[in-house]
Amino acid sequence: MIQALKAEEVLKITGGKLLGVSDGSALSQISIDSRQILQPSHTLFVALRGAKADGANYIPTLIQQGVRHFLVHEDYAPSKEILHQAAFLQVKDTKVALQQLAAHQRSLFTAPVLSITGSNGKTITKEWLGQLLSQQFSVAKSPKSYNSQVGVPLSIFGIQPYHQVAILEAGISKSGEMSPLEKIIRPDLGIFTNIGSAHEEGFSSLQEKIREKLILFKDAKFLIYCRDQELLCQEIEKEVDPSKLISWSKEKAADFRISYKIGESKTRVILVKEDLSTFTFQVPFTDHASLENATHALVAALTLAEDPKSIQQGLDQLRQVDMRLTLKPGINECLLIDDTYNNDLAGLKVALEFMSQQRPKRQKVLILSDLLQQGSPEKIYAEVADLIRSYHIDRILAVGQEIKRLSETFPNQTEWYPTTENLIESLQISSFQNDLILVTGARDFALERIVNRLQQRIHGTTLEINLNALTHNFNFYKRQLKPGTRVMVMVKAFAYGGGATEIANHLQTLGADYLAVAFTDEGVTLRNQGIRLPIMVLNPVEESFELLREYQLEPVVFSPVFFKKLGIYASNHNIQIPIHLDLDTGMHRLGFEIKHIPELKNLIESYPELRIASLYTHLVGADEEVHHEFSLKQLDQFMEMKKEIESALTYRPLIHALNSAGIIRYPDYQMDMVRLGIGLYGVEVTGKHHHELKAVSTLKTTISQIKTLAPGSTVGYSRRGQLPEGGTIATLAIGYADGFDRRFSMGKGYVLIRGEKAPVIGNVCMDMTMVDISQIPEVREGEQAIIYGEGIPLRDLADRIGTIPYELLTNISSRVKRVYYLD
Ligand SMILES: *Cc1c(COP(=O)(O)O)cnc(C)c1O
């Protein structure tokens, strides 16, 4: 923080009211996370209210840990025991108060503040610009993509008095969100990276989205943008005072005219200013997106009057790395968290928090390097030690000179290596078994070399799962529900292809109430991987009774015969088994029909060992308006059957009927619980709210080879691909065995390369597919191709081959590695 605050100052800034007593401490830390408190007596804990949790629940524990100041909602009433132990600063809304505190800190910072917004490239541009500027200045920047209503204030609290420039990212997802961020950041200089063309969630048009984002720069002195982006350029030049604008362009007149000389692995970037002064830099990239991000960073660095020589030194260290925190399968059953681009304390906190949310493993291992952080090492490493302690790390591998200090604090847990090379030489792969390993450190240490050793080989094709998008979609459906309605999430079929274990684990942290799988062994896997939520099994068989019991799985019972068998089993073993009754109201798949009800009531009486946890039915056409009447009939019949069954019970089971589409279409029938499936994975099948969901999975592959073919050539088996005029094709490392449907052959399907459509040419092969890239310039071997994800929607692909998104999702082969990330 720039300046520590006393309780009374906090009250003044936030308009709050004091309850209890303040000991008058200077508050130099503001925290919203009970596990990240480093100096309890100097911490102001802000109790935020979220969809799943209320920060206020942690207050009693925090008081025990020594925290004495809490910012709380005005309806929070501390109990008598704690009232005299701490100060409770009551405000109307703690999130707003957090923002007010941030705005206040910001107003005390007099050095330049630069802010970045746009659709893509914000985080990379911020990181790269940070790298360039840190050659000459002491730079504060937002950790990761901390760019939201809460992330921005937290970023501001990371600014210290010694910083000479601050770079903050701002991201919004709907109208009205930028104004609060602008009030906090109040940037002097801005960068508008670009505007996506894909979909406009939360905005009525792209223009509106641009104008909303421009609010960030309303009082900025300068705004950097690229004139080659048609729509963005138009709006900016219409809305913003021309004297503030700093433009760059490859094609048009601009403050900086840019040309790129693209080589094998590097590009020479030449910038010519209007007065013809010229700057030349070498950047270690050749692809379009990286060049755009790097050019924004270059123009900003030059605008801040950084010396070109130090800019080049900064450029030499840039690497094209994955900025995201990713979770991947490791060797020996380990789970690997890759955060090799992190280089400060704030980033370390994010990574440790993510680690703490993963399912339990044998040990928690932390591999980390020196942090490249300004300030005194004593203080910084004392904080690192506190953090490590509060997250209960079992084993630490420390790389670097400064981090050696940790071995004084953790003598029995720390192994110390002076350099990354030393660690690689002595790395004993076999010492990692079923561990959770976090690899994190400053980029100079190139710890990705360690990740490469510890991860399972990933071949060309990967399925990336965006956990933030999953959270977003879960919360979208939560918002459709009345308070108290529970959510069962369907993680059958490998969680619709996304990977059941990691998704189930994430849902557990999000606060889902129930999980459902199709078969018993799917449930067993989840239990073996440490998932604790109740799990319903849709289609159990008699042979699995032992497993159901051993692993505490709750079977669906769908016929009198099955009821009786399970009842006998339970009474022979003298155990209670929670069961779920499937009532068939029209699906005609499994389930009790009306005619079974009398028999069912007798069975319920005869086998009290089977405890009915829930009663449900399944709608056959909730996604389609044409079936509206039928759906209502099903729901009516369900209510009738439910009433009958309840009359035989002395307790009340949970009642549920709605799947994802039902949640949207039949809000009056939420009852006790809903069963969320495809919606969580980003497909809103009724089409009513499609833009409000985010794409969760991206299937990617790489280009193995590129060929230029003469007129009349044919491509692939049976000569089905025809190139009468010749052309260029790329061979992709994905085929129907990976789940790329063979029906995409012959131009039915396409992939995205450099953001452009490349149609499939010829037949999809078992492990490979050829696409026509004649229309896409400069493509190279090794580049990525997107099979589906943002910008290439599943529904469109499914329509093209006459199927449904469900099938495409669940068809991805298990040989395709799943990688999870936070963006
Ligand atoms: C799969 C399934 C769901 C979820 O359906 P979505 O359309 O994916 O939301 C709900 N209930 C039952 C019984 C299911 O089998």
Side-chain angles (χ1 to χ4, degrees), residues 488 513-520 523-524 527 532-540 544-545 547-557 562 566 576-581 610-616 654 656 673:
M488 171 184 274
D513 301 282
Y514 246 102
L515 298 174
V517 295
F519 300 106
T520 307
V524 170
R527 284 280 181 260
R532 303 175 308 271
L533 286 175
I535 300 175
M536 176 173 105
V537 180
L538 288 163
N539 200 354
S544 70
F545 286 173
L547 287 172
L548 290 170
R549 175 181 153 200
E550 187 180 340
Y551 289 90
Q552 291 167 4
L553 303 170
E554 304 178 8
V556 166
V557 172
F562 195 82
L566 189 63
Q576 278 249 330
I577 301 181
I579 63 166
H580 301 263
L581 297 183
L610 300 189
R611 192 184 161 84
I612 300 165
S614 88
L615 292 178
Y616 75 89
L654 296 172
H656 48 116
M673 185 154 77

Side-chain angles (χ1 to χ4, degrees), residues 488 490 492 496 536 538 582 589 616-618 657-662 675-679 681 685 806:
M488 171 184 274
M490 312 309 281
K492 58 192 181 191
Y496 291 51
M536 176 173 105
L538 288 163
D582 182 354
R589 184 166 70 174
Y616 75 89
T617 194
H618 192 37
L658 303 180
N659 58 0
S660 307
R675 299 188 306 275
L676 178 59
I678 190 118
Y681 309 101
V685 280
Y806 297 78

Side-chain angles (χ1 to χ4, degrees), residues 630-810:
F630 192 81
S631 297
L632 289 179
K633 227 167 71 197
Q634 279 194 282
L635 289 164
D636 267 1
Q637 196 182 103
F638 177 54
M639 296 319 272
E640 215 171 287
M641 292 171 82
K642 160 208 154 212
K643 214 163 97 197
E644 275 294 308
I645 297 169
E646 277 182 335
S647 71
L649 295 174
T650 51
Y651 53 90
R652 236 189 124 273
L654 296 172
I655 309 295
H656 48 116
L658 303 180
N659 58 0
S660 307
I663 297 172
I664 300 299
R665 233 183 247 284
Y666 302 104
D668 293 338
Y669 291 88
Q670 291 169 2
M671 303 179 243
D672 300 318
M673 185 154 77
V674 296
R675 299 188 306 275
L676 178 59
I678 190 118
L680 180 71
Y681 309 101
V683 185
E684 205 287 272
V685 280
T686 71
K688 291 184 174 197
H689 298 274
H690 197 65
H691 292 319
E692 291 171 63
L693 297 188
K694 290 193 172 165
V696 167
S697 42
T698 306
L699 184 60
K700 284 184 176 172
T701 191
T702 50
I703 299 175
S704 309
Q705 195 176 22
I706 291 177
K707 292 177 191 284
T708 303
L709 300 176
S713 304
T714 67
V715 179
Y717 286 121
S718 314
R719 307 193 64 199
R720 298 300 289 274
Q722 306 265 344
L723 283 172
E725 329 252 286
T728 311
I729 63 158
T731 302
L732 309 178
I734 188 172
Y736 56 78
D738 299 291
F740 189 59
D741 202 294
R742 195 162 173 281
R743 289 171 287 180
F744 287 129
S745 296
M746 310 284 302
K748 278 271 180 67
Y750 63 93
V751 304
L752 284 189
I753 295 176
R754 299 191 161 214
E756 301 196 40
K757 289 183 184 178
V760 174
I761 180 161
N763 282 332
V764 174
C765 309
M766 188 186 290
D767 312 300
M768 285 177 257
T769 299
M770 283 70 85
V771 294
D772 188 344
I773 54 168
S774 307
Q775 305 305 319
I776 312 174
E778 297 173 30
V779 181
R780 285 154 195 264
E781 290 174 359
E783 268 188 42
Q784 264 181 359
I786 311 280
I787 310 298
Y788 67 71
E790 216 177 314
I792 181 161
L794 270 171
R795 181 188 274 277
D796 174 45
L797 288 182
D799 284 348
R800 284 168 168 262
I801 56 168
T803 184
I804 48 175
Y806 297 78
E807 188 188 348
L808 296 186
L809 281 171
T810 52

